[in-house]
Amino acid sequence: DTEVTQTPKHLVMGMTNKKSLKCEQHMGHRAMYWYKQKAKKPPELMFVYSYEKLSINESVPSRFSPECPNSSLLNLHLHALQPEDSALYLCASSHTLTGTNTEAFFGQGTRLTVV
Amino acid sequence: QKEVEQNSGPLSVPEGAIASLNCTYSDRGSQSFFWYRQYSGKSPELIMFIYSNGDKEDGRFTAQLNKASQYVSLLIRDSQPSDSATYLCAVKQGGSEKLVFGKGTKLTVNP
């Protein structure tokens, strides 16, 4: 089973709203990722968590706030977003970050529209 | 900026043909290499990964890695219309926790 579950699948939010994206995996993976993907572009890395600690922040604006409450869950808290933040937000997980067990599996994504 | 380059395509092949997708990378210390398939409006799906030089086969898919030439490829044999998608090459850079994607190659398999 290589399932990563993201909720919600679609989200429309106003620029003054606060919302959260959720990601869950039960594969025992210890690395989890947030990516952002705009239309016809490759995924862009936002954050990496390893063993529930933030490992990488790719200079993401503070209106995006990640959280890893436990090894199975990853959240992305959204506040005061801009219309240009509209994109497909992808969560992924892998067993580890280094070595030969680093295959990353993606969830179905959350299609976010900021109005 | 360490890069992953792919032919942007589009690549069009007839049904039953071999589709060949290519990728080069700039970080000589890269250790792990992945191919993802992404259908329009969907998320990337891992279809192949390779860590060692040489070929790795899985069904109709073969990944080829040549670290000396910094080159990784994906061959799809007996291409089917259902293979029509964008194929993303991704590289885990050496000493880094980052998975970097190429821009993708759009493949169309014509019936």
Side-chain angles (χ1 to χ4, degrees), chain A residues 28-39:
Chain A
H29 289 179
R30 303 314 299 267
M32 297 186 77
Y33 314 76
W34 281 114
Y35 281 84
K36 172 183 177 180
Q37 188 176 26
K38 303 280 273 185

Side-chain angles (χ1 to χ4, degrees), chain B residues 40-99:
Chain B
S40 181
K42 302 295 185 182
S43 65
E45 175 190 6
L46 180 67
I47 54 172
M48 288 292 286
F49 58 91
I50 186 166
Y51 297 112
S52 304
N53 273 332
D55 295 0
K56 179 181 179 182
E57 185 174 319
D58 184 1
R60 296 187 295 113
F61 299 99
T62 299
Q64 300 174 316
L65 174 62
N66 183 327
K67 289 185 178 180
S69 301
Q70 296 175 239
Y71 176 91
V72 58
S73 66
L74 179 70
L75 300 178
I76 306 174
R77 289 182 300 281
D78 187 24
S79 294
Q80 301 297 308
S82 58
D83 295 325
S84 298
T86 295
Y87 288 81
L88 296 162
C89 173
V91 176
K92 182 68 72 81
Q93 297 175 335
S96 167
E97 298 153 336
K98 298 182 183 182
L99 184 64

